[in-house]
Structures are given as structure tokens and as C-alpha cells.
Amino acid sequence: MLNRDLMVTEERLCPLLKTKRIGTQLVLLEEVGSTNDYLKQLARQGAAEGTVVLAEQQTAGRGRLGRSFQSPAQEGIYLSVLLRPVIRAEKAINFTAVAATAVCDAVEQVVGTRPGIKWINDLLMGGKKICGILTELGADCRTGMVDYLVLGIGLNVNESMESFAPELRDIAGSIAMATGQPWDRTALAAAMLNALDAVYADWQAEQWSVDRYRADCTTIGQQVRVIRGDVVRNATAEAVDDDFALVVRYEDGSVEHVSTGEVTVRGQNGYA
């Protein structure tokens, strides 16, 4: 049973919104399998750009590389945003990294502490993952142009260690765990939508610089492992290029711009 006093409602959320596009249509749900899946269906039915789906809990939340995303009821923020940029599909996927900086802006505004970004789109506080971002899109196969882009964000806000499955407790955290106090999910949701609206406008006007991402990316300068299937290579992360690829230097001196696969950072996820 959900606690209605803790719910994110239109009455609480709308007065805090200062957006021009994002949040013009709000769909607030008590429970959904996946906010991304729900919004993709609306997108295919012609939903307007800026439509937001926000759920109190997800039963089938998803992250990168096909992983599940735990979404306990009324502890985090689970939302998806529909965008319709006039852009080719291969360029649109970079908005995932752009959006990560917006979530950093929002958390810093409300909480007073800025998260870092582990390449490419995981937000960290207290050394643990507090947020995942998943971008999915539909495109016209004839032109390669985007039809819709659905940006899904799961932000861990008030979870405790016991909120996570045992196998995730060394990896997952929350803002409350990192700061020692609970936070208003409505205020954070509004700040996220406001920040996303601002960076989306800058990105579309080509006024957003990848330097904003580089400033938040804590992977740069770290010892990392690049994992592709059974192949694991040790490297140093040296930079993020203009296409958001991670520039790594392997132990043999060779350099690669990594845009696919999994990268783990020394000291995290069991990499000692």
C-alpha cells in the first residue's frame, strides 16, 4: 500500500516546474513495469514532445546492457521524458551523457552536493551508484532521422542498504545514504525536469559543450578495465573525446577511443 503523503502529485510538482517543453504533459502512475516502455507506446501513438511519465515504483525497470534496475516503491524517482529532436539517430544517443550533467545540476541544487559521473552515464555519490540513465529511440529507417527519443532516469533518493538486493549492496547507494538524511522526492523530480529542459534547449541550439560533461566525469585519470565479453584489458582513462568516447591507454601503450563495451573503475565493482 502506497503512502499518499509521500506521492509525487501534479498538485505538488507543477508549481515547481519552470520548463518550456519538458513536463507540458504529465502521466503520474502508482506502478508500472517500465516508464520507458510505457512512454515508447505513447510516443508511437503520437504523444507530444515533453511528455513525462513518472511512477512511484517499477516492476521491470531496465538499465544499460540489458540489466535490471531496482525501483522500490516511493524511495526513488523513476521517470521517462519524450523528446522529438530533428536530428540523425547516431547523434541523438549522445543526449544520454548530456542528460547526466542535468541530473548532476538538479541534485546539486536541491542537496548541495554534486554527484560525479562514471563513464558513461552512471551518477555516483559516496562512491556508489545513485542513478542510471537509459536512452531509447525510434527512427525512420529510410532517412535515419529520429522519430522519438525516450530518456529514462532512475534516481535513488531515500533507499537504505536494505532496499537493495544483497548482490547490489556493494555497488548501489542513494542520496540519503550518502548524506545521512532523507530528501523530498517532489523537489528533486521538479529540479530534474527543470535542468533537463535547460540542457535540452542548449543542446538543440548547439550551445552545450562536452566540457560540461568532462568536468563531472570522475573516470578520467582512473585505472580502468575495458570488458568486452571474455576479453578484459587494463588501461588508464585519459580523456573523453568530442563524441563522448572514453580515451584509454592500455598497458602496451596503445590508445583506443572506447564507445562500446563495459568499463569498470579500480576500487569499484570488485576491481581491486
Side-chain angles (χ1 to χ4, degrees):
M1 181 70 67
L2 297 182
N3 183 340
R4 299 221 164 248
D5 291 336
L6 298 178
M7 292 181 70
V8 178
T9 64
E10 287 195 40
E11 292 76 15
R12 295 167 182 160
L13 182 61
C14 288
L16 302 177
L17 294 181
K18 302 174 183 177
T19 60
K20 294 181 179 179
R21 298 190 195 184
I22 293 176
T24 52
Q25 298 290 328
L26 293 172
V27 180
L28 304 184
L29 305 172
E30 291 191 8
E31 180 180 299
V32 72
S34 159
T35 58
N36 262 29
D37 289 346
Y38 191 99
L39 188 52
K40 283 191 294 181
Q41 183 175 356
L42 295 183
R44 290 189 288 265
Q45 295 170 354
E49 180 175 64
T51 299
V52 173
V53 173
L54 186 151
E56 293 293 322
Q57 60 184 323
Q58 296 183 114
T59 58
R62 293 180 288 109
R64 286 183 69 239
L65 304 177
R67 297 188 176 117
S68 63
F69 184 90
Q70 270 193 267
S71 312
Q74 298 191 292
E75 295 187 354
I77 296 170
Y78 322 114
L79 63 81
S80 296
V81 178
L82 173 61
L83 304 173
R84 296 190 184 273
V86 181
I87 192 171
R88 294 190 63 82
E90 61 266 23
K91 295 293 184 182
I93 203 68
N94 286 342
F95 191 70
T96 305
V98 176
T101 67
V103 182
C104 288
D105 291 343
V107 173
E108 183 178 34
Q109 177 190 336
V110 175
V111 177
T113 300
R114 190 172 186 87
I117 302 173
K118 174 190 171 291
W119 186 87
I120 185 169
N121 58 359
D122 289 343
L123 269 63
L124 305 178
M125 284 185 75
K128 294 189 174 184
K129 177 179 174 177
I130 64 162
C131 180
I133 302 174
L134 176 65
T135 300
E136 299 179 284
L137 59 84
D140 187 323
C141 62
R142 297 165 299 175
T143 65
M145 298 297 289
V146 168
D147 177 28
Y148 66 83
L149 185 154
V150 170
L151 178 77
I153 302 173
L155 178 66
N156 297 337
V157 180
N158 291 326
E159 288 89 343
S160 64
M161 184 72 74
E162 290 70 29
S163 301
F164 303 110
E167 64 269 18
L168 297 177
R169 291 176 183 175
D170 289 338
I171 301 170
S174 70
I175 297 174
M177 290 168 62
T179 62
Q181 67 180 82
W183 294 90
D184 183 341
R185 291 188 307 123
T186 299
L188 277 163
M192 287 166 61
L193 297 179
N194 290 336
L196 285 167
D197 193 73
V199 300
Y200 181 57
D202 288 347
W203 182 65
Q204 284 210 302
E206 298 185 354
Q207 295 177 350
W208 192 92
S209 170
V210 69
D211 287 337
R212 292 168 66 173
Y213 178 86
R214 293 180 179 122
D216 286 324
C217 184
T218 59
T219 307
I220 299 172
Q222 299 294 314
Q223 299 299 306
V224 300
R225 281 179 174 165
V226 180
I227 304 171
R228 294 188 177 101
D230 294 332
V231 179
V232 180
R233 299 184 69 186
N234 295 330
T236 301
E238 295 190 336
V240 172
D241 71 17
D242 289 346
D243 293 319
F244 296 95
L246 186 67
V247 182
V248 302
R249 185 177 298 275
Y250 294 110
E251 293 176 323
D252 63 6
S254 62
V255 174
E256 182 184 3
H257 292 234
V258 177
S259 56
T260 61
E262 182 177 6
V263 173
T264 62
V265 179
R266 189 168 189 174
Q268 299 173 5
N269 302 352
Y271 172 25

